[in-house]
């Protein structure tokens, strides 16, 4: 399997890993990496950096939308091997250290095994190291207020619910919203395609997840880069409102 790297805007690439996406933002030789896929996606991650003419050494920082195993996978590897800062919302920092875990349990997955796609998805999770724990030894909160001084100039937007510190990243000049798992366009366990919330079992606090759709609806943009599913083109506001209707 090779990395599926797709340019979606100037200097902005959506990469489809094995069931999880990450985003590469470029500025000359330097890049910002948003999320890192499953632990088992490391070769795909490194290949995707090479595909955009970059390397692990050129990653200015890893931004994490949330510290689930399928997004945090190689963050500690990059930090330990290359000194790459790993930055998150302040509420997600202890989650990345694994001071606690806000992730669907194996028991909950098994109780939902009758749902279409759940068993094949679970088999993939096991193959990809999704039940392993790879805590980040020294995660750090990104500085508050406005765009980060990183390639792509991403603006963090707190979108809690999926986890307490879940964060989207807005690229206002490009009209791009990197939504993580606060708003997706597909999933192996989903029955529909297009803008939607993940199935309820994946959210730590569903009510806050719904409220965060209103936050996303307030962002200007027409390119949505979700944590799962393909790029969605169209007003982000309309995508968020559709996801809310479908979740009702």
């Amino acid at each position: 399997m090779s990395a599926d790297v797709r340019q979606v805007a100037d200097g902005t690439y959506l990469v489809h890993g094995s069931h999880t996406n990450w985003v590469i933002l470029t500025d000359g030789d330097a890049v910002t990496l948003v999320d890192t896929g499953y632990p088992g996606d490391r070769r795909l991650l490194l290949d995707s950096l090479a595909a955009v003419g970059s390397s692990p050494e050129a990653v200015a920082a890893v931004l994490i939308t949330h510290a689930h195993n399928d997004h945090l996978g190689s963050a500690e590897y990059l930090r330990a091997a290359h000194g790459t800062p790993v930055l998150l919302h302040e509420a997600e920092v202890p989650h990345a250290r694994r001071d606690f875990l806000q992730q669907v349990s194996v028991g909950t997955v098994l109780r939902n095994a009758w749902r279409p796609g759940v068993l094949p998805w679970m088999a993939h999770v096991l193959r990809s190291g999704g039940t392993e724990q790879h805590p980040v030894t020294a995660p750090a909160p990104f500085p508050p207020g406005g765009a980060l001084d990183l390639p792509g100039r991403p603006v963090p937007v707190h979108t809690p619910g999926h986890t307490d510190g879940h964060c989207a990243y807005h690229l206002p000049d490009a009209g791009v919203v990197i939504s993580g798992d606060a708003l997706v366009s597909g999933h192996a366990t989903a029955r529909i395609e297009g803008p939607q919330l993940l199935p309820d079992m994946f959210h730590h606090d569903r009510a806050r997840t719904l409220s965060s759709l209103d936050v996303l609806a307030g962002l200007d943009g027409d390119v949505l880069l979700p944590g799962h599913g393909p790029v969605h083109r169209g007003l982000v506001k309309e995508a968020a409102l559709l996801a809310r209707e479908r979740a009702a």
Side-chain angles (χ1 to χ4, degrees), residues 128-201:
S128 302
T131 58
E132 303 169 4
Q133 297 301 331
H134 294 266
V136 179
T137 303
F142 42 68
L148 302 178
D149 187 18
L150 293 169
R153 301 284 295 170
V155 179
V157 181
H158 189 205
T159 46
H162 188 64
T163 65
D164 287 346
H166 188 287
C167 196
Y169 296 96
H170 187 203
L171 313 179
D173 292 343
V176 171
V177 174
I178 303 168
S179 58
D181 284 5
L183 173 59
V184 302
S185 62
H187 190 263
T189 64
R191 300 182 183 183
I192 58 175
E193 297 178 353
Q196 61 189 283
L197 291 181
L198 288 169
D200 288 353
M201 67 175 176

Side-chain angles (χ1 to χ4, degrees), residues 205-229:
D205 186 331
R206 186 178 187 273
R208 293 183 82 192
T209 305
L210 282 169
S211 295
S212 286
L213 288 175
D214 297 334
V215 176
L216 291 170
L219 300 178
D220 288 332
D222 56 9
V223 179
L224 181 73
L225 306 184
H228 302 274

Side-chain angles (χ1 to χ4, degrees), residues 4-160:
D4 182 357
V5 182
R6 305 193 182 200
Q7 184 169 4
V8 295
D10 288 345
T12 305
Y13 300 84
L14 179 65
V15 186
H16 299 292
S18 61
H19 287 221
T20 304
N21 303 332
W22 55 89
V23 175
I24 301 173
L25 307 176
T26 64
D27 183 0
D29 295 334
V31 304
T32 301
L33 183 61
V34 184
D35 288 343
T36 67
Y38 280 100
D41 285 343
R42 185 170 302 163
R43 175 46 53 194
L44 295 177
L45 181 72
L46 298 178
D47 288 349
S48 70
L49 291 171
V52 302
S54 188
S55 66
E57 295 81 5
V59 179
V62 175
L63 298 179
I64 299 295
T65 59
H66 64 293
H68 281 167
N69 294 343
D70 57 333
H71 298 259
L72 196 67
S74 288
E76 174 62 11
Y77 161 76
L78 290 168
R79 190 207 65 80
H82 302 286
T84 312
V86 179
L87 308 178
L88 313 88
H89 188 275
E90 61 181 357
E92 200 72 0
V93 167
H95 194 195
R97 289 196 302 257
R98 287 299 180 257
D99 296 353
F100 56 82
L101 184 61
Q102 295 180 342
Q103 186 157 315
V104 64
S105 67
V106 173
T108 298
V109 172
L110 291 176
R111 286 194 295 275
N112 285 270
W114 59 273
R115 297 180 181 276
V118 169
L119 286 178
W121 168 79
M122 188 60 185
H124 175 81
V125 169
L126 294 171
R127 290 194 304 269
S128 302
T131 58
E132 303 169 4
Q133 297 301 331
H134 294 266
V136 179
T137 303
F142 42 68
L148 302 178
D149 187 18
L150 293 169
R153 301 284 295 170
V155 179
V157 181
H158 189 205
T159 46

